[in-house]
Amino acid sequence: RLKHSFESLGAFDCAYMDLKPVSFQYINGSSGRRHFGFGAGAVRKSLEKHGFTTQDFAGFVQMNENPESQDYCGIKDPMGLIYTEFIAWNTHMIQQTRRELDELRLQLKELSEKYNQLLLEKTKEVNP
């Protein structure tokens, strides 16, 4: 009741396939741990390459420039990602892959049955 304009994510498939997952460390991080994710600029480029704007995906955030903020490390044009926005996109792509896999399994089963039937017929011809 609080949402509207529902649309399938299918139009975003090509942009999804351009995403390049990476590991990284934060410049101001203190733990030394590696994080998994994406470069925000690369996500933006992928969206734009496929005709989308940053308004089309709330997972990309253009932050307000604030040179005094330590969080931005003096970076101009800071941007970021909201990873929870990727969950539905990942689910869409996984579901699509599972549907294709199920279809391929069915085709393989049908072809295998046809092959076995042909093999049986050939065997009967050779050994009547």
PDB file of all heavy atoms in Angstrom, residues 9 11-20 39-62 79-82 85-86 89:
ATOM      1  N   LEU A   9      12.239  -6.714 -13.238  1.00  0.00           N
ATOM      2  CA  LEU A   9      13.642  -6.295 -13.305  1.00  0.00           C
ATOM      3  C   LEU A   9      14.332  -6.759 -14.587  1.00  0.00           C
ATOM      4  O   LEU A   9      15.517  -6.511 -14.781  1.00  0.00           O
ATOM      5  CB  LEU A   9      14.411  -6.840 -12.094  1.00  0.00           C
ATOM      6  CG  LEU A   9      13.932  -6.368 -10.728  1.00  0.00           C
ATOM      7  CD1 LEU A   9      14.813  -6.936  -9.636  1.00  0.00           C
ATOM      8  CD2 LEU A   9      13.892  -4.867 -10.662  1.00  0.00           C
ATOM      9  N   ALA A  11      14.516  -5.729 -17.539  1.00  0.00           N
ATOM     10  CA  ALA A  11      15.201  -4.707 -18.333  1.00  0.00           C
ATOM     11  C   ALA A  11      16.618  -4.441 -17.829  1.00  0.00           C
ATOM     12  O   ALA A  11      17.466  -3.944 -18.563  1.00  0.00           O
ATOM     13  CB  ALA A  11      14.398  -3.405 -18.313  1.00  0.00           C
ATOM     14  N   PHE A  12      16.878  -4.812 -16.582  1.00  0.00           N
ATOM     15  CA  PHE A  12      18.184  -4.548 -15.981  1.00  0.00           C
ATOM     16  C   PHE A  12      19.174  -5.711 -16.123  1.00  0.00           C
ATOM     17  O   PHE A  12      20.306  -5.617 -15.667  1.00  0.00           O
ATOM     18  CB  PHE A  12      18.022  -4.220 -14.488  1.00  0.00           C
ATOM     19  CG  PHE A  12      17.338  -2.915 -14.231  1.00  0.00           C
ATOM     20  CD1 PHE A  12      15.957  -2.843 -14.160  1.00  0.00           C
ATOM     21  CD2 PHE A  12      18.071  -1.758 -14.064  1.00  0.00           C
ATOM     22  CE1 PHE A  12      15.315  -1.633 -13.926  1.00  0.00           C
ATOM     23  CE2 PHE A  12      17.444  -0.544 -13.828  1.00  0.00           C
ATOM     24  CZ  PHE A  12      16.063  -0.488 -13.767  1.00  0.00           C
ATOM     25  N   ASP A  13      18.740  -6.805 -16.746  1.00  0.00           N
ATOM     26  CA  ASP A  13      19.602  -7.990 -16.853  1.00  0.00           C
ATOM     27  C   ASP A  13      20.960  -7.671 -17.466  1.00  0.00           C
ATOM     28  O   ASP A  13      21.996  -8.130 -16.990  1.00  0.00           O
ATOM     29  CB  ASP A  13      18.925  -9.096 -17.665  1.00  0.00           C
ATOM     30  CG  ASP A  13      17.747  -9.728 -16.942  1.00  0.00           C
ATOM     31  OD1 ASP A  13      17.451  -9.326 -15.792  1.00  0.00           O
ATOM     32  OD2 ASP A  13      17.124 -10.624 -17.537  1.00  0.00           O
ATOM     33  N   CYS A  14      20.966  -6.898 -18.544  1.00  0.00           N
ATOM     34  CA  CYS A  14      22.235  -6.611 -19.228  1.00  0.00           C
ATOM     35  C   CYS A  14      23.156  -5.781 -18.330  1.00  0.00           C
ATOM     36  O   CYS A  14      24.371  -6.010 -18.307  1.00  0.00           O
ATOM     37  CB  CYS A  14      21.993  -5.923 -20.561  1.00  0.00           C
ATOM     38  SG  CYS A  14      20.933  -4.476 -20.476  1.00  0.00           S
ATOM     39  N   ALA A  15      22.615  -4.846 -17.575  1.00  0.00           N
ATOM     40  CA  ALA A  15      23.434  -4.046 -16.662  1.00  0.00           C
ATOM     41  C   ALA A  15      23.985  -4.926 -15.547  1.00  0.00           C
ATOM     42  O   ALA A  15      25.143  -4.777 -15.140  1.00  0.00           O
ATOM     43  CB  ALA A  15      22.623  -2.886 -16.083  1.00  0.00           C
ATOM     44  N   TYR A  16      23.183  -5.863 -15.069  1.00  0.00           N
ATOM     45  CA  TYR A  16      23.617  -6.783 -14.015  1.00  0.00           C
ATOM     46  C   TYR A  16      24.820  -7.591 -14.472  1.00  0.00           C
ATOM     47  O   TYR A  16      25.779  -7.788 -13.720  1.00  0.00           O
ATOM     48  CB  TYR A  16      22.461  -7.718 -13.644  1.00  0.00           C
ATOM     49  CG  TYR A  16      22.766  -8.683 -12.526  1.00  0.00           C
ATOM     50  CD1 TYR A  16      22.496  -8.338 -11.211  1.00  0.00           C
ATOM     51  CD2 TYR A  16      23.305  -9.942 -12.781  1.00  0.00           C
ATOM     52  CE1 TYR A  16      22.761  -9.226 -10.167  1.00  0.00           C
ATOM     53  CE2 TYR A  16      23.573 -10.831 -11.755  1.00  0.00           C
ATOM     54  CZ  TYR A  16      23.299 -10.461 -10.451  1.00  0.00           C
ATOM     55  OH  TYR A  16      23.560 -11.340  -9.433  1.00  0.00           O
ATOM     56  N   MET A  17      24.764  -8.052 -15.715  1.00  0.00           N
ATOM     57  CA  MET A  17      25.845  -8.902 -16.222  1.00  0.00           C
ATOM     58  C   MET A  17      27.153  -8.128 -16.382  1.00  0.00           C
ATOM     59  O   MET A  17      28.215  -8.726 -16.485  1.00  0.00           O
ATOM     60  CB  MET A  17      25.438  -9.557 -17.543  1.00  0.00           C
ATOM     61  CG  MET A  17      24.276 -10.543 -17.377  1.00  0.00           C
ATOM     62  SD  MET A  17      24.536 -11.806 -16.102  1.00  0.00           S
ATOM     63  CE  MET A  17      25.887 -12.736 -16.825  1.00  0.00           C
ATOM     64  N   ASP A  18      27.089  -6.805 -16.389  1.00  0.00           N
ATOM     65  CA  ASP A  18      28.294  -5.985 -16.470  1.00  0.00           C
ATOM     66  C   ASP A  18      28.906  -5.693 -15.099  1.00  0.00           C
ATOM     67  O   ASP A  18      30.008  -5.157 -15.017  1.00  0.00           O
ATOM     68  CB  ASP A  18      28.001  -4.647 -17.163  1.00  0.00           C
ATOM     69  CG  ASP A  18      27.974  -4.774 -18.669  1.00  0.00           C
ATOM     70  OD1 ASP A  18      28.398  -5.818 -19.196  1.00  0.00           O
ATOM     71  OD2 ASP A  18      27.538  -3.809 -19.327  1.00  0.00           O
ATOM     72  N   LEU A  19      28.198  -5.998 -14.024  1.00  0.00           N
ATOM     73  CA  LEU A  19      28.735  -5.732 -12.692  1.00  0.00           C
ATOM     74  C   LEU A  19      29.971  -6.583 -12.460  1.00  0.00           C
ATOM     75  O   LEU A  19      30.016  -7.750 -12.835  1.00  0.00           O
ATOM     76  CB  LEU A  19      27.693  -6.028 -11.612  1.00  0.00           C
ATOM     77  CG  LEU A  19      26.436  -5.168 -11.625  1.00  0.00           C
ATOM     78  CD1 LEU A  19      25.486  -5.625 -10.519  1.00  0.00           C
ATOM     79  CD2 LEU A  19      26.766  -3.696 -11.474  1.00  0.00           C
ATOM     80  N   LYS A  20      30.958  -5.994 -11.850  1.00  0.00           N
ATOM     81  CA  LYS A  20      32.218  -6.694 -11.585  1.00  0.00           C
ATOM     82  C   LYS A  20      32.454  -6.726 -10.076  1.00  0.00           C
ATOM     83  O   LYS A  20      32.956  -5.765  -9.495  1.00  0.00           O
ATOM     84  CB  LYS A  20      33.372  -5.970 -12.266  1.00  0.00           C
ATOM     85  CG  LYS A  20      33.154  -5.755 -13.754  1.00  0.00           C
ATOM     86  CD  LYS A  20      34.169  -6.465 -14.571  1.00  0.00           C
ATOM     87  CE  LYS A  20      34.062  -6.233 -16.045  1.00  0.00           C
ATOM     88  NZ  LYS A  20      32.801  -6.461 -16.662  1.00  0.00           N
ATOM     89  N   GLY A  39      32.586  -1.316  -7.121  1.00  0.00           N
ATOM     90  CA  GLY A  39      32.952   0.090  -7.162  1.00  0.00           C
ATOM     91  C   GLY A  39      31.722   0.880  -7.574  1.00  0.00           C
ATOM     92  O   GLY A  39      31.069   0.544  -8.568  1.00  0.00           O
ATOM     93  N   ALA A  40      31.376   1.889  -6.819  1.00  0.00           N
ATOM     94  CA  ALA A  40      30.166   2.666  -7.120  1.00  0.00           C
ATOM     95  C   ALA A  40      30.241   3.283  -8.519  1.00  0.00           C
ATOM     96  O   ALA A  40      29.253   3.292  -9.250  1.00  0.00           O
ATOM     97  CB  ALA A  40      29.949   3.751  -6.060  1.00  0.00           C
ATOM     98  N   GLY A  41      31.409   3.780  -8.891  1.00  0.00           N
ATOM     99  CA  GLY A  41      31.559   4.371 -10.222  1.00  0.00           C
ATOM    100  C   GLY A  41      31.342   3.350 -11.320  1.00  0.00           C
ATOM    101  O   GLY A  41      30.745   3.653 -12.363  1.00  0.00           O
ATOM    102  N   ALA A  42      31.784   2.118 -11.094  1.00  0.00           N
ATOM    103  CA  ALA A  42      31.592   1.054 -12.084  1.00  0.00           C
ATOM    104  C   ALA A  42      30.111   0.694 -12.208  1.00  0.00           C
ATOM    105  O   ALA A  42      29.623   0.413 -13.304  1.00  0.00           O
ATOM    106  CB  ALA A  42      32.416  -0.168 -11.709  1.00  0.00           C
ATOM    107  N   VAL A  43      29.396   0.704 -11.103  1.00  0.00           N
ATOM    108  CA  VAL A  43      27.951   0.435 -11.137  1.00  0.00           C
ATOM    109  C   VAL A  43      27.251   1.527 -11.933  1.00  0.00           C
ATOM    110  O   VAL A  43      26.406   1.253 -12.794  1.00  0.00           O
ATOM    111  CB  VAL A  43      27.358   0.304  -9.716  1.00  0.00           C
ATOM    112  CG1 VAL A  43      25.836   0.240  -9.753  1.00  0.00           C
ATOM    113  CG2 VAL A  43      27.934  -0.922  -9.011  1.00  0.00           C
ATOM    114  N   ARG A  44      27.612   2.771 -11.668  1.00  0.00           N
ATOM    115  CA  ARG A  44      27.009   3.887 -12.404  1.00  0.00           C
ATOM    116  C   ARG A  44      27.281   3.744 -13.897  1.00  0.00           C
ATOM    117  O   ARG A  44      26.379   3.910 -14.722  1.00  0.00           O
ATOM    118  CB  ARG A  44      27.524   5.233 -11.894  1.00  0.00           C
ATOM    119  CG  ARG A  44      26.914   6.411 -12.670  1.00  0.00           C
ATOM    120  CD  ARG A  44      27.306   7.745 -12.115  1.00  0.00           C
ATOM    121  NE  ARG A  44      28.740   7.945 -12.267  1.00  0.00           N
ATOM    122  CZ  ARG A  44      29.391   8.992 -11.778  1.00  0.00           C
ATOM    123  NH1 ARG A  44      28.741   9.920 -11.092  1.00  0.00           N
ATOM    124  NH2 ARG A  44      30.677   9.116 -11.947  1.00  0.00           N
ATOM    125  N   LYS A  45      28.520   3.419 -14.267  1.00  0.00           N
ATOM    126  CA  LYS A  45      28.866   3.259 -15.688  1.00  0.00           C
ATOM    127  C   LYS A  45      28.071   2.130 -16.331  1.00  0.00           C
ATOM    128  O   LYS A  45      27.629   2.247 -17.471  1.00  0.00           O
ATOM    129  CB  LYS A  45      30.364   3.004 -15.849  1.00  0.00           C
ATOM    130  CG  LYS A  45      31.199   4.239 -15.675  1.00  0.00           C
ATOM    131  CD  LYS A  45      32.688   3.930 -15.830  1.00  0.00           C
ATOM    132  CE  LYS A  45      33.509   5.164 -15.505  1.00  0.00           C
ATOM    133  NZ  LYS A  45      34.943   4.878 -15.489  1.00  0.00           N
ATOM    134  N   SER A  46      27.892   1.040 -15.612  1.00  0.00           N
ATOM    135  CA  SER A  46      27.112  -0.080 -16.139  1.00  0.00           C
ATOM    136  C   SER A  46      25.667   0.337 -16.395  1.00  0.00           C
ATOM    137  O   SER A  46      25.092   0.027 -17.435  1.00  0.00           O
ATOM    138  CB  SER A  46      27.147  -1.265 -15.178  1.00  0.00           C
ATOM    139  OG  SER A  46      26.334  -2.308 -15.642  1.00  0.00           O
ATOM    140  N   LEU A  47      25.083   1.053 -15.445  1.00  0.00           N
ATOM    141  CA  LEU A  47      23.715   1.534 -15.625  1.00  0.00           C
ATOM    142  C   LEU A  47      23.627   2.448 -16.841  1.00  0.00           C
ATOM    143  O   LEU A  47      22.759   2.276 -17.712  1.00  0.00           O
ATOM    144  CB  LEU A  47      23.243   2.278 -14.373  1.00  0.00           C
ATOM    145  CG  LEU A  47      23.043   1.436 -13.117  1.00  0.00           C
ATOM    146  CD1 LEU A  47      22.855   2.332 -11.897  1.00  0.00           C
ATOM    147  CD2 LEU A  47      21.860   0.489 -13.279  1.00  0.00           C
ATOM    148  N   GLU A  48      24.531   3.421 -16.911  1.00  0.00           N
ATOM    149  CA  GLU A  48      24.501   4.394 -18.005  1.00  0.00           C
ATOM    150  C   GLU A  48      24.756   3.734 -19.353  1.00  0.00           C
ATOM    151  O   GLU A  48      24.137   4.101 -20.354  1.00  0.00           O
ATOM    152  CB  GLU A  48      25.510   5.507 -17.740  1.00  0.00           C
ATOM    153  CG  GLU A  48      25.086   6.393 -16.573  1.00  0.00           C
ATOM    154  CD  GLU A  48      26.149   7.388 -16.128  1.00  0.00           C
ATOM    155  OE1 GLU A  48      27.320   7.278 -16.571  1.00  0.00           O
ATOM    156  OE2 GLU A  48      25.802   8.276 -15.316  1.00  0.00           O
ATOM    157  N   LYS A  49      25.642   2.753 -19.389  1.00  0.00           N
ATOM    158  CA  LYS A  49      25.943   2.033 -20.639  1.00  0.00           C
ATOM    159  C   LYS A  49      24.686   1.418 -21.230  1.00  0.00           C
ATOM    160  O   LYS A  49      24.536   1.320 -22.445  1.00  0.00           O
ATOM    161  CB  LYS A  49      26.987   0.951 -20.358  1.00  0.00           C
ATOM    162  CG  LYS A  49      27.279   0.040 -21.533  1.00  0.00           C
ATOM    163  CD  LYS A  49      28.272  -1.038 -21.149  1.00  0.00           C
ATOM    164  CE  LYS A  49      28.426  -2.081 -22.247  1.00  0.00           C
ATOM    165  NZ  LYS A  49      29.286  -3.185 -21.824  1.00  0.00           N
ATOM    166  N   HIS A  50      23.772   1.002 -20.367  1.00  0.00           N
ATOM    167  CA  HIS A  50      22.555   0.329 -20.821  1.00  0.00           C
ATOM    168  C   HIS A  50      21.331   1.251 -20.795  1.00  0.00           C
ATOM    169  O   HIS A  50      20.198   0.769 -20.822  1.00  0.00           O
ATOM    170  CB  HIS A  50      22.334  -0.935 -19.998  1.00  0.00           C
ATOM    171  CG  HIS A  50      23.424  -1.934 -20.221  1.00  0.00           C
ATOM    172  ND1 HIS A  50      23.507  -2.715 -21.349  1.00  0.00           N
ATOM    173  CD2 HIS A  50      24.521  -2.237 -19.484  1.00  0.00           C
ATOM    174  CE1 HIS A  50      24.588  -3.466 -21.297  1.00  0.00           C
ATOM    175  NE2 HIS A  50      25.218  -3.197 -20.170  1.00  0.00           N
ATOM    176  N   GLY A  51      21.573   2.546 -20.767  1.00  0.00           N
ATOM    177  CA  GLY A  51      20.491   3.512 -20.911  1.00  0.00           C
ATOM    178  C   GLY A  51      19.742   3.872 -19.647  1.00  0.00           C
ATOM    179  O   GLY A  51      18.672   4.474 -19.717  1.00  0.00           O
ATOM    180  N   PHE A  52      20.280   3.522 -18.498  1.00  0.00           N
ATOM    181  CA  PHE A  52      19.632   3.852 -17.235  1.00  0.00           C
ATOM    182  C   PHE A  52      20.328   5.045 -16.593  1.00  0.00           C
ATOM    183  O   PHE A  52      21.504   5.299 -16.837  1.00  0.00           O
ATOM    184  CB  PHE A  52      19.680   2.669 -16.266  1.00  0.00           C
ATOM    185  CG  PHE A  52      18.997   1.442 -16.787  1.00  0.00           C
ATOM    186  CD1 PHE A  52      19.726   0.348 -17.233  1.00  0.00           C
ATOM    187  CD2 PHE A  52      17.615   1.380 -16.856  1.00  0.00           C
ATOM    188  CE1 PHE A  52      19.110  -0.781 -17.721  1.00  0.00           C
ATOM    189  CE2 PHE A  52      16.978   0.253 -17.347  1.00  0.00           C
ATOM    190  CZ  PHE A  52      17.726  -0.829 -17.785  1.00  0.00           C
ATOM    191  N   THR A  53      19.597   5.740 -15.766  1.00  0.00           N
ATOM    192  CA  THR A  53      20.187   6.808 -14.969  1.00  0.00           C
ATOM    193  C   THR A  53      20.281   6.314 -13.532  1.00  0.00           C
ATOM    194  O   THR A  53      19.731   5.252 -13.192  1.00  0.00           O
ATOM    195  CB  THR A  53      19.336   8.097 -15.002  1.00  0.00           C
ATOM    196  OG1 THR A  53      18.116   7.850 -14.274  1.00  0.00           O
ATOM    197  CG2 THR A  53      19.010   8.511 -16.435  1.00  0.00           C
ATOM    198  N   THR A  54      20.917   7.090 -12.697  1.00  0.00           N
ATOM    199  CA  THR A  54      21.018   6.696 -11.291  1.00  0.00           C
ATOM    200  C   THR A  54      19.654   6.789 -10.591  1.00  0.00           C
ATOM    201  O   THR A  54      19.489   6.240  -9.505  1.00  0.00           O
ATOM    202  CB  THR A  54      22.065   7.557 -10.560  1.00  0.00           C
ATOM    203  OG1 THR A  54      21.728   8.931 -10.712  1.00  0.00           O
ATOM    204  CG2 THR A  54      23.448   7.296 -11.139  1.00  0.00           C
ATOM    205  N   GLN A  55      18.686   7.422 -11.217  1.00  0.00           N
ATOM    206  CA  GLN A  55      17.317   7.457 -10.684  1.00  0.00           C
ATOM    207  C   GLN A  55      16.627   6.111 -10.865  1.00  0.00           C
ATOM    208  O   GLN A  55      15.660   5.810 -10.178  1.00  0.00           O
ATOM    209  CB  GLN A  55      16.498   8.541 -11.383  1.00  0.00           C
ATOM    210  CG  GLN A  55      16.785   9.949 -10.914  1.00  0.00           C
ATOM    211  CD  GLN A  55      16.422  10.152  -9.461  1.00  0.00           C
ATOM    212  OE1 GLN A  55      17.297  10.332  -8.617  1.00  0.00           O
ATOM    213  NE2 GLN A  55      15.143  10.104  -9.147  1.00  0.00           N
ATOM    214  N   ASP A  56      17.112   5.305 -11.795  1.00  0.00           N
ATOM    215  CA  ASP A  56      16.489   4.023 -12.088  1.00  0.00           C
ATOM    216  C   ASP A  56      16.890   2.930 -11.105  1.00  0.00           C
ATOM    217  O   ASP A  56      16.297   1.856 -11.105  1.00  0.00           O
ATOM    218  CB  ASP A  56      16.853   3.570 -13.513  1.00  0.00           C
ATOM    219  CG  ASP A  56      16.270   4.485 -14.567  1.00  0.00           C
ATOM    220  OD1 ASP A  56      15.082   4.847 -14.446  1.00  0.00           O
ATOM    221  OD2 ASP A  56      16.999   4.845 -15.506  1.00  0.00           O
ATOM    222  N   PHE A  57      17.932   3.163 -10.294  1.00  0.00           N
ATOM    223  CA  PHE A  57      18.389   2.159  -9.331  1.00  0.00           C
ATOM    224  C   PHE A  57      18.822   2.865  -8.051  1.00  0.00           C
ATOM    225  O   PHE A  57      19.854   3.526  -8.014  1.00  0.00           O
ATOM    226  CB  PHE A  57      19.547   1.338  -9.917  1.00  0.00           C
ATOM    227  CG  PHE A  57      20.106   0.302  -8.985  1.00  0.00           C
ATOM    228  CD1 PHE A  57      19.282  -0.653  -8.406  1.00  0.00           C
ATOM    229  CD2 PHE A  57      21.451   0.286  -8.675  1.00  0.00           C
ATOM    230  CE1 PHE A  57      19.798  -1.606  -7.536  1.00  0.00           C
ATOM    231  CE2 PHE A  57      21.974  -0.663  -7.809  1.00  0.00           C
ATOM    232  CZ  PHE A  57      21.147  -1.613  -7.249  1.00  0.00           C
ATOM    233  N   ALA A  58      18.036   2.676  -7.007  1.00  0.00           N
ATOM    234  CA  ALA A  58      18.303   3.343  -5.731  1.00  0.00           C
ATOM    235  C   ALA A  58      19.514   2.769  -5.005  1.00  0.00           C
ATOM    236  O   ALA A  58      19.914   3.281  -3.965  1.00  0.00           O
ATOM    237  CB  ALA A  58      17.072   3.266  -4.830  1.00  0.00           C
ATOM    238  N   GLY A  59      20.106   1.724  -5.553  1.00  0.00           N
ATOM    239  CA  GLY A  59      21.302   1.156  -4.942  1.00  0.00           C
ATOM    240  C   GLY A  59      22.532   2.024  -5.124  1.00  0.00           C
ATOM    241  O   GLY A  59      23.528   1.863  -4.427  1.00  0.00           O
ATOM    242  N   PHE A  60      22.468   2.956  -6.077  1.00  0.00           N
ATOM    243  CA  PHE A  60      23.566   3.896  -6.301  1.00  0.00           C
ATOM    244  C   PHE A  60      23.207   5.222  -5.638  1.00  0.00           C
ATOM    245  O   PHE A  60      22.090   5.710  -5.792  1.00  0.00           O
ATOM    246  CB  PHE A  60      23.806   4.128  -7.792  1.00  0.00           C
ATOM    247  CG  PHE A  60      24.862   5.175  -8.048  1.00  0.00           C
ATOM    248  CD1 PHE A  60      26.196   4.812  -8.111  1.00  0.00           C
ATOM    249  CD2 PHE A  60      24.526   6.504  -8.182  1.00  0.00           C
ATOM    250  CE1 PHE A  60      27.174   5.771  -8.308  1.00  0.00           C
ATOM    251  CE2 PHE A  60      25.488   7.472  -8.384  1.00  0.00           C
ATOM    252  CZ  PHE A  60      26.823   7.104  -8.448  1.00  0.00           C
ATOM    253  N   VAL A  61      24.145   5.790  -4.914  1.00  0.00           N
ATOM    254  CA  VAL A  61      23.902   7.056  -4.223  1.00  0.00           C
ATOM    255  C   VAL A  61      25.002   8.053  -4.584  1.00  0.00           C
ATOM    256  O   VAL A  61      26.192   7.755  -4.432  1.00  0.00           O
ATOM    257  CB  VAL A  61      23.889   6.864  -2.686  1.00  0.00           C
ATOM    258  CG1 VAL A  61      23.674   8.181  -1.983  1.00  0.00           C
ATOM    259  CG2 VAL A  61      22.845   5.849  -2.279  1.00  0.00           C
ATOM    260  N   GLN A  62      24.595   9.196  -5.072  1.00  0.00           N
ATOM    261  CA  GLN A  62      25.531  10.304  -5.268  1.00  0.00           C
ATOM    262  C   GLN A  62      25.480  11.130  -3.989  1.00  0.00           C
ATOM    263  O   GLN A  62      24.458  11.705  -3.655  1.00  0.00           O
ATOM    264  CB  GLN A  62      25.121  11.156  -6.473  1.00  0.00           C
ATOM    265  CG  GLN A  62      26.113  12.240  -6.810  1.00  0.00           C
ATOM    266  CD  GLN A  62      27.445  11.663  -7.281  1.00  0.00           C
ATOM    267  OE1 GLN A  62      27.496  10.928  -8.244  1.00  0.00           O
ATOM    268  NE2 GLN A  62      28.507  12.006  -6.583  1.00  0.00           N
ATOM    269  N   MET A  79      30.540   8.994  -4.012  1.00  0.00           N
ATOM    270  CA  MET A  79      29.370   8.174  -4.325  1.00  0.00           C
ATOM    271  C   MET A  79      29.448   6.897  -3.511  1.00  0.00           C
ATOM    272  O   MET A  79      30.500   6.543  -2.984  1.00  0.00           O
ATOM    273  CB  MET A  79      29.314   7.886  -5.824  1.00  0.00           C
ATOM    274  CG  MET A  79      30.540   7.204  -6.378  1.00  0.00           C
ATOM    275  SD  MET A  79      30.564   7.081  -8.170  1.00  0.00           S
ATOM    276  CE  MET A  79      31.473   8.555  -8.585  1.00  0.00           C
ATOM    277  N   GLY A  80      28.342   6.213  -3.424  1.00  0.00           N
ATOM    278  CA  GLY A  80      28.311   4.982  -2.656  1.00  0.00           C
ATOM    279  C   GLY A  80      27.219   4.052  -3.143  1.00  0.00           C
ATOM    280  O   GLY A  80      26.485   4.365  -4.085  1.00  0.00           O
ATOM    281  N   LEU A  81      27.129   2.906  -2.498  1.00  0.00           N
ATOM    282  CA  LEU A  81      26.135   1.892  -2.852  1.00  0.00           C
ATOM    283  C   LEU A  81      25.357   1.470  -1.618  1.00  0.00           C
ATOM    284  O   LEU A  81      25.894   1.422  -0.516  1.00  0.00           O
ATOM    285  CB  LEU A  81      26.829   0.665  -3.452  1.00  0.00           C
ATOM    286  CG  LEU A  81      27.607   0.911  -4.741  1.00  0.00           C
ATOM    287  CD1 LEU A  81      28.407  -0.336  -5.122  1.00  0.00           C
ATOM    288  CD2 LEU A  81      26.672   1.312  -5.874  1.00  0.00           C
ATOM    289  N   ILE A  82      24.096   1.172  -1.827  1.00  0.00           N
ATOM    290  CA  ILE A  82      23.238   0.633  -0.773  1.00  0.00           C
ATOM    291  C   ILE A  82      23.029  -0.841  -1.130  1.00  0.00           C
ATOM    292  O   ILE A  82      22.235  -1.172  -2.011  1.00  0.00           O
ATOM    293  CB  ILE A  82      21.901   1.384  -0.695  1.00  0.00           C
ATOM    294  CG1 ILE A  82      22.147   2.865  -0.437  1.00  0.00           C
ATOM    295  CG2 ILE A  82      21.005   0.764   0.380  1.00  0.00           C
ATOM    296  CD1 ILE A  82      20.901   3.726  -0.527  1.00  0.00           C
ATOM    297  N   GLU A  85      19.756  -2.935  -1.711  1.00  0.00           N
ATOM    298  CA  GLU A  85      19.032  -2.764  -2.970  1.00  0.00           C
ATOM    299  C   GLU A  85      19.419  -3.835  -3.991  1.00  0.00           C
ATOM    300  O   GLU A  85      18.702  -4.064  -4.965  1.00  0.00           O
ATOM    301  CB  GLU A  85      19.290  -1.374  -3.557  1.00  0.00           C
ATOM    302  CG  GLU A  85      18.694  -0.244  -2.750  1.00  0.00           C
ATOM    303  CD  GLU A  85      17.177  -0.162  -2.860  1.00  0.00           C
ATOM    304  OE1 GLU A  85      16.605  -0.635  -3.865  1.00  0.00           O
ATOM    305  OE2 GLU A  85      16.554   0.387  -1.932  1.00  0.00           O
ATOM    306  N   PHE A  86      20.551  -4.490  -3.784  1.00  0.00           N
ATOM    307  CA  PHE A  86      21.003  -5.530  -4.713  1.00  0.00           C
ATOM    308  C   PHE A  86      20.304  -6.868  -4.454  1.00  0.00           C
ATOM    309  O   PHE A  86      20.338  -7.758  -5.303  1.00  0.00           O
ATOM    310  CB  PHE A  86      22.521  -5.724  -4.606  1.00  0.00           C
ATOM    311  CG  PHE A  86      23.321  -4.607  -5.217  1.00  0.00           C
ATOM    312  CD1 PHE A  86      23.551  -3.427  -4.517  1.00  0.00           C
ATOM    313  CD2 PHE A  86      23.857  -4.736  -6.490  1.00  0.00           C
ATOM    314  CE1 PHE A  86      24.291  -2.399  -5.073  1.00  0.00           C
ATOM    315  CE2 PHE A  86      24.598  -3.716  -7.060  1.00  0.00           C
ATOM    316  CZ  PHE A  86      24.821  -2.540  -6.348  1.00  0.00           C
ATOM    317  N   TRP A  89      17.548  -7.719  -6.916  1.00  0.00           N
ATOM    318  CA  TRP A  89      18.181  -7.889  -8.232  1.00  0.00           C
ATOM    319  C   TRP A  89      18.861  -9.255  -8.308  1.00  0.00           C
ATOM    320  O   TRP A  89      18.706  -9.997  -9.285  1.00  0.00           O
ATOM    321  CB  TRP A  89      19.180  -6.761  -8.446  1.00  0.00           C
ATOM    322  CG  TRP A  89      19.528  -6.448  -9.874  1.00  0.00           C
ATOM    323  CD1 TRP A  89      19.040  -7.021 -11.001  1.00  0.00           C
ATOM    324  CD2 TRP A  89      20.457  -5.463 -10.309  1.00  0.00           C
ATOM    325  NE1 TRP A  89      19.616  -6.459 -12.118  1.00  0.00           N
ATOM    326  CE2 TRP A  89      20.483  -5.493 -11.707  1.00  0.00           C
ATOM    327  CE3 TRP A  89      21.274  -4.557  -9.643  1.00  0.00           C
ATOM    328  CZ2 TRP A  89      21.300  -4.653 -12.464  1.00  0.00           C
ATOM    329  CZ3 TRP A  89      22.074  -3.719 -10.395  1.00  0.00           C
ATOM    330  CH2 TRP A  89      22.080  -3.759 -11.790  1.00  0.00           C
TER     331      TRP A  89
END
